[in-house]
mmCIF file of all heavy atoms in Angstrom:
data_model
loop_
_atom_site.group_PDB
_atom_site.id
_atom_site.type_symbol
_atom_site.label_atom_id
_atom_site.label_comp_id
_atom_site.label_asym_id
_atom_site.label_seq_id
_atom_site.Cartn_x
_atom_site.Cartn_y
_atom_site.Cartn_z
ATOM 1 N N SER W 69 25.683 -7.643 13.986
ATOM 2 C CA SER W 69 25.511 -8.085 12.664
ATOM 3 C C SER W 69 24.204 -8.599 12.459
ATOM 4 O O SER W 69 23.560 -8.388 11.400
ATOM 5 C CB SER W 69 26.508 -9.291 12.414
ATOM 6 O OG SER W 69 26.367 -9.865 11.247
ATOM 7 N N ALA W 70 23.479 -9.212 13.373
ATOM 8 C CA ALA W 70 22.083 -9.653 13.257
ATOM 9 C C ALA W 70 21.192 -8.477 13.124
ATOM 10 O O ALA W 70 20.258 -8.444 12.341
ATOM 11 C CB ALA W 70 21.694 -10.550 14.478
ATOM 12 N N CYS W 71 21.442 -7.424 13.837
ATOM 13 C CA CYS W 71 20.646 -6.118 13.734
ATOM 14 C C CYS W 71 20.700 -5.589 12.285
ATOM 15 O O CYS W 71 19.731 -5.055 11.794
ATOM 16 C CB CYS W 71 21.023 -5.146 14.842
ATOM 17 S SG CYS W 71 20.393 -5.555 16.435
ATOM 18 N N PHE W 72 21.931 -5.488 11.864
ATOM 19 C CA PHE W 72 22.170 -4.943 10.470
ATOM 20 C C PHE W 72 21.532 -5.867 9.488
ATOM 21 O O PHE W 72 21.001 -5.325 8.404
ATOM 22 C CB PHE W 72 23.577 -4.788 10.243
ATOM 23 C CG PHE W 72 24.278 -3.703 11.115
ATOM 24 C CD1 PHE W 72 25.533 -3.901 11.668
ATOM 25 C CD2 PHE W 72 23.621 -2.469 11.342
ATOM 26 C CE1 PHE W 72 26.126 -2.931 12.510
ATOM 27 C CE2 PHE W 72 24.158 -1.528 12.174
ATOM 28 C CZ PHE W 72 25.460 -1.763 12.752
ATOM 29 N N THR W 73 21.516 -7.186 9.653
ATOM 30 C CA THR W 73 20.887 -8.102 8.625
ATOM 31 C C THR W 73 19.321 -7.829 8.694
ATOM 32 O O THR W 73 18.745 -7.730 7.589
ATOM 33 C CB THR W 73 21.236 -9.539 8.986
ATOM 34 O OG1 THR W 73 22.595 -9.603 8.834
ATOM 35 C CG2 THR W 73 20.567 -10.474 8.048
ATOM 36 N N ALA W 74 18.738 -7.677 9.989
ATOM 37 C CA ALA W 74 17.377 -7.456 9.976
ATOM 38 C C ALA W 74 16.976 -6.164 9.419
ATOM 39 O O ALA W 74 15.878 -5.979 8.766
ATOM 40 C CB ALA W 74 16.891 -7.594 11.454
ATOM 41 N N ALA W 75 17.825 -5.058 9.590
ATOM 42 C CA ALA W 75 17.617 -3.843 8.994
ATOM 43 C C ALA W 75 17.550 -3.845 7.511
ATOM 44 O O ALA W 75 16.689 -3.236 6.756
ATOM 45 C CB ALA W 75 18.572 -2.767 9.488
ATOM 46 N N GLY W 76 18.548 -4.762 6.897
ATOM 47 C CA GLY W 76 18.463 -4.965 5.498
ATOM 48 C C GLY W 76 17.179 -5.675 4.975
ATOM 49 O O GLY W 76 16.751 -5.300 3.873
ATOM 50 N N ILE W 77 16.702 -6.490 5.785
ATOM 51 C CA ILE W 77 15.510 -7.280 5.438
ATOM 52 C C ILE W 77 14.269 -6.152 5.385
ATOM 53 O O ILE W 77 13.479 -6.140 4.475
ATOM 54 C CB ILE W 77 15.140 -8.386 6.246
ATOM 55 C CG1 ILE W 77 16.132 -9.500 5.974
ATOM 56 C CG2 ILE W 77 13.753 -8.975 6.146
ATOM 57 C CD1 ILE W 77 16.200 -10.696 7.103
ATOM 58 N N TYR W 78 14.251 -5.331 6.363
ATOM 59 C CA TYR W 78 13.302 -4.279 6.393
ATOM 60 C C TYR W 78 13.411 -3.312 5.298
ATOM 61 O O TYR W 78 12.217 -2.760 4.762
ATOM 62 C CB TYR W 78 13.428 -3.497 7.744
ATOM 63 C CG TYR W 78 12.655 -4.129 8.840
ATOM 64 C CD1 TYR W 78 13.106 -5.007 9.795
ATOM 65 C CD2 TYR W 78 11.132 -3.877 8.884
ATOM 66 C CE1 TYR W 78 12.290 -5.448 10.785
ATOM 67 C CE2 TYR W 78 10.513 -4.401 10.029
ATOM 68 C CZ TYR W 78 10.996 -5.285 10.884
ATOM 69 O OH TYR W 78 10.232 -5.823 11.852
ATOM 70 N N VAL W 79 14.577 -3.064 4.793
ATOM 71 C CA VAL W 79 14.722 -2.307 3.584
ATOM 72 C C VAL W 79 14.039 -2.849 2.388
ATOM 73 O O VAL W 79 13.300 -2.154 1.571
ATOM 74 C CB VAL W 79 16.260 -2.075 3.221
ATOM 75 C CG1 VAL W 79 16.495 -1.452 1.789
ATOM 76 C CG2 VAL W 79 16.930 -1.151 4.213
#
Side-chain angles (χ1 to χ4, degrees):
S69 177
C71 286
F72 294 136
T73 301
I77 293 169
Y78 271 98
V79 167

